[in-house]
Amino acid sequence: MSDDLPGKVTPPLPEPKRHTAPLSPPRRPRWQRILIRAMGLAIAVILTWLILAYLILPVLWRHYEHHPIMERAPKITRTAQGIPGDPLNVGLIGSKEELIQSMLNSGWDAADPITLRSSLAIARSVLRNRPDADAPVSNLYLFGRKQDLAFEKPVGTSARHRHHVRFWESSDYGRDGIPLWIGAVTYDRSVGFSRRTGQITHHIGPDIDAERNGLIADLQSHGWLTEEFQVTGVGPTLSGRNGGGDRYFTDGELTIGVLASSSVPDRSPSALKNPVAIRIKDQLWSAIRPLLQSLPDPQDQDSR
């Protein structure tokens, strides 16, 4: 007997549930995938560079094993206005007499102090294109005072161009009671106006390492050095600016020589080696140095 009553509508049976797989997100266009990967790679490179440049390499490229006291030494000179000046890149251990004798004997002349007479003489040298072997150098400051001694080596027939070095005596950074004469040696390539103060000044060439190496080579060739080594100076610098606004670059090393009491021709000084990390840095620097030498200075509008 049927359970259906007359007039009763039987509801339809529910359809069985269908299990469908979740829809996957639409695939990004190829150019978007390439862009995201490139951005990720760029971020990784930048982070790696920041870690190397600001954390690891500054530690690896600092060394004072041959003269530990130099870790506390100043690294740069100052102008009279307190502006950072030329980096310190050379030092000589010896008496005042040994320093003067060795420099004069190695082809350098003592610079005159700045007076009205010496200032007029250097002006005539520049204007008339005549040499002035004893032309004065402007004052820079270290240990609260101007340079104790200054020397120059003329180039050509005018005081526009010359190698010059300023020295400051320091007993604190010397050795065995013998003072260290810490110095800044640069090359004057032209005369013009300071970009920072507007005063008339010499403008230096950017490759200050060449000047450091040249001074040490002069002393070596004349037999005045018994020992030579390096410590970290201002540190590797790709584009620094001195007190006159001039660009310079440097591997950051400060070369120190120990002076002999007398000249011995063909003397070969004892050369103390740098650590391995510094030697690797020097190899890298020698690879990029030609590029740095070829870069023009966008602010250089001075006559040469």
Side-chain angles (χ1 to χ4, degrees):
M1 184 176 177
S2 173
D3 293 333
D4 295 337
L5 298 176
K8 183 178 181 181
V9 179
T10 303
L13 296 173
E15 296 183 2
K17 294 182 179 180
R18 298 178 179 177
H19 298 282
T20 58
L23 297 176
S24 59
R27 186 176 177 82
R28 295 181 185 272
R30 185 170 181 271
W31 68 270
Q32 287 187 359
R33 300 197 304 273
I34 294 175
L35 179 61
I36 292 173
R37 291 173 183 171
M39 291 178 62
L41 178 62
I43 292 174
V45 170
I46 291 173
L47 288 176
T48 302
W49 170 73
L50 289 173
I51 293 172
L52 284 173
Y54 291 94
L55 295 177
I56 298 177
L57 294 182
V59 174
L60 292 178
W61 290 350
R62 289 173 59 84
H63 70 111
Y64 300 96
E65 64 284 336
H66 301 311
H67 204 44
I69 191 66
M70 289 300 292
E71 186 171 7
R72 303 201 304 266
K75 305 297 187 284
I76 200 163
T77 62
R78 296 276 172 178
T79 67
Q81 295 77 25
I83 301 171
D86 297 338
L88 297 164
N89 57 355
V90 69
L92 296 173
I93 296 176
S95 67
K96 182 177 181 179
E97 292 74 18
E98 289 169 345
L99 174 66
I100 294 174
Q101 186 178 11
S102 63
M103 292 295 293
L104 296 180
N105 185 254
S106 299
W108 292 70
D109 299 302
D112 286 335
I114 297 178
T115 62
L116 177 60
R117 181 176 181 178
S118 63
S119 298
L120 292 174
I122 191 173
R124 286 194 298 269
S125 170
V126 171
L127 293 175
R128 299 178 181 178
N129 206 34
R130 293 179 180 175
D132 185 357
D134 305 319
V137 300
S138 59
N139 293 329
L140 289 177
Y141 294 83
L142 191 69
F143 309 127
R145 67 181 190 270
K146 68 179 183 179
Q147 62 273 0
D148 297 313
L149 293 172
F151 299 89
E152 61 186 273
K153 186 177 180 181
V155 177
T157 58
S158 170
R160 290 176 183 268
H161 311 287
R162 60 180 179 176
H163 310 278
H164 74 281
V165 59
R166 301 173 178 88
F167 284 111
W168 290 262
E169 182 182 14
S170 173
S171 298
D172 293 337
Y173 300 109
R175 177 196 286 179
D176 300 328
I178 302 173
L180 169 71
W181 296 83
I182 189 169
V185 54
T186 56
Y187 173 68
D188 286 340
R189 58 176 174 76
S190 66
V191 174
F193 295 99
S194 168
R195 302 182 181 96
R196 301 191 184 221
T197 66
Q199 299 173 350
I200 297 177
T201 185
H202 278 91
H203 291 298
I204 68 168
D207 191 356
I208 62 175
D209 294 346
E211 297 305 296
R212 173 198 67 200
N213 299 342
L215 172 58
I216 294 298
D218 285 343
L219 293 168
Q220 283 182 352
S221 65
H222 289 81
W224 282 103
L225 295 183
T226 62
E227 184 179 311
E228 176 192 342
F229 58 89
Q230 289 187 321
V231 297
T232 300
V234 71
T237 304
L238 293 173
S239 184
R241 294 281 173 181
N242 75 347
D246 302 325
R247 181 178 71 93
Y248 67 83
F249 56 86
T250 172
D251 60 14
E253 297 297 310
L254 188 153
T255 301
I256 295 179
V258 178
L259 293 172
S261 57
S262 62
S263 172
V264 176
D266 301 323
R267 187 206 311 263
S268 296
S270 173
L272 307 184
K273 289 185 178 181
N274 285 333
V276 174
I278 302 301
R279 296 203 293 269
I280 293 174
K281 182 263 295 182
D282 290 342
Q283 290 295 324
L284 294 174
W285 190 264
S286 65
I288 66 173
R289 186 180 175 195
L291 174 62
L292 296 173
Q293 291 172 327
S294 67
L295 291 177
D297 186 346
Q299 298 185 25
D300 185 11
Q301 301 295 329
D302 303 306
S303 60
R304 287 176 168 75

